[in-house]
Amino acid sequence: ENREEAWHNVYEGIKNVITEFQHKFEVKNDFIKELQEVEFVTQNKKGTTLNDIFVFPNLSIAKDAFKKETIEYDYFLEKKKKSILIKGREFSGKTALLKWLFMSLGEKYSPIFLSGSNIHKVINFDDHLKREFSRQINGDFNVWMKQDNKVAIIDNYNHNTSYNILKYLDDNFVMTIIAVDDEEYMLYFKDESSFADYATLTLGQFDLAQQEGLIRKWFQVSQQGSLGEINDLDI
């Protein structure tokens, strides 16, 4: 009945839709495909994705000089501010783990995937982050930066990566997950004070159960059957 009130109602409705849209973030399909790529597939397994064959690896944290504790996926879901360093040998599966974490943590957090090789001393971290955001995620970068559930995942962290990035991540992200090679860690970071507050996780070799799980999934991709239909003799 009141024209002014009606248009104000329209205005509020449009404003609510825009606000909701600005706070909605989705990973781009092209980037998901990039994360899902598996390098060591054979000709008859070209359609294989990381999710098809991923088995959560052998992760542990040292409690003291003689005792270590196994880390499960739930460790990453605990809602508290944390900084995590994952070290492992070359080709031990660090990148695959980080990619899988990116895709899995998206239900609770808002992650972004970075490469330590591209983060240099002279870099403007905001600009670099904005470029990576545009490549990976649909949404408003400035609104995303104000979210309190952002997670930074950094692969191939090394001695050439700007150490200033650590404080930047601590100031802007609720969780930081960094992967580094064992040799790099021992040579450059073992006694580095910047990592004093980081939980250091070790990525070890698959145990027998994990090996079997991986082989079963590999057979499943080949035979397009369920895990229960795989012949134990073939395993």
Side-chain angles (χ1 to χ4, degrees):
E1 296 178 3
N2 184 309
R3 188 178 181 85
E4 289 296 321
E5 186 178 339
W7 279 115
H8 182 73
N9 183 263
V10 171
Y11 161 77
E12 289 295 337
I14 294 174
K15 181 180 176 182
N16 290 339
V17 171
I18 292 174
T19 300
E20 182 180 349
F21 180 77
Q22 284 181 320
H23 286 79
K24 195 172 184 179
F25 306 102
E26 293 180 349
V27 181
K28 293 183 177 180
N29 288 332
D30 287 345
F31 189 64
I32 291 177
K33 289 179 182 177
E34 183 180 324
L35 294 174
Q36 289 278 20
E37 287 179 357
V38 180
E39 296 179 359
F40 56 88
V41 295
T42 53
Q43 193 63 37
N44 65 328
K45 295 187 178 71
K46 282 298 182 184
T48 302
T49 67
L50 179 63
N51 278 348
D52 288 333
I53 59 172
F54 183 81
V55 173
F56 195 80
N58 193 359
L59 267 183
S60 62
I61 185 170
K63 302 310 272 182
D64 55 45
F66 305 99
K67 185 180 179 181
K68 62 181 181 179
E69 178 183 305
T70 299
I71 297 297
E72 304 291 349
Y73 172 57
D74 289 349
Y75 175 83
F76 297 92
L77 296 178
E78 297 170 4
K79 192 67 174 178
K80 61 180 181 181
K81 187 170 178 64
K82 61 178 72 175
S83 302
I84 301 167
L85 179 71
I86 299 174
K87 63 184 183 73
R89 296 190 309 185
E90 192 174 8
F91 303 117
S92 60
K94 297 184 296 297
T95 298
L97 173 60
L98 294 189
K99 288 180 176 181
W100 184 84
L101 284 173
F102 178 97
M103 292 183 286
S104 301
L105 292 173
E107 294 183 8
K108 186 170 183 177
Y109 298 100
S110 187
I112 192 165
F113 198 97
L114 306 171
S115 171
S117 300
N118 297 329
I119 302 173
H120 308 298
K121 290 183 173 61
V122 296
I123 201 169
N124 181 307
F125 297 140
D126 284 332
D127 287 347
H128 181 70
L129 207 64
K130 188 172 184 177
R131 284 194 298 272
E132 286 302 317
F133 177 88
S134 298
R135 189 173 74 89
Q136 300 175 24
I137 302 167
N138 286 315
D140 187 307
F141 174 74
N142 293 323
V143 174
W144 181 81
M145 279 296 289
K146 296 175 182 176
Q147 303 293 302
D148 61 1
N149 66 338
K150 301 190 305 299
V151 173
I153 298 176
I154 304 184
D155 192 23
N156 194 32
Y157 190 92
N158 59 80
H159 65 282
N160 290 318
T161 304
S162 173
Y163 65 88
N164 291 327
I165 189 66
L166 298 179
K167 185 178 186 311
Y168 177 84
L169 297 174
D170 187 56
D171 291 340
N172 291 282
F173 290 83
V174 68
M175 180 161 59
T176 301
I177 306 172
I178 293 175
V180 61
D181 279 350
D182 267 340
E183 288 187 10
E184 282 275 334
Y185 177 77
M186 294 302 294
L187 286 172
Y188 300 102
F189 305 126
K190 189 174 184 296
D191 300 313
E192 173 58 55
S193 59
S194 301
F195 287 114
D197 295 329
Y198 276 66
T200 302
L201 310 185
T202 299
L203 183 62
Q205 293 181 328
F206 274 9
D207 60 28
L208 294 178
Q210 290 163 331
Q211 290 178 42
E212 180 178 344
L214 178 60
I215 294 169
R216 282 188 179 276
K217 288 193 172 188
W218 193 249
F219 267 104
Q220 183 189 18
V221 170
S222 304
Q223 300 177 11
Q224 296 184 335
S226 68
L227 290 178
E229 296 171 355
I230 305 299
N231 191 314
D232 287 342
L233 187 59
D234 289 335
I235 302 297

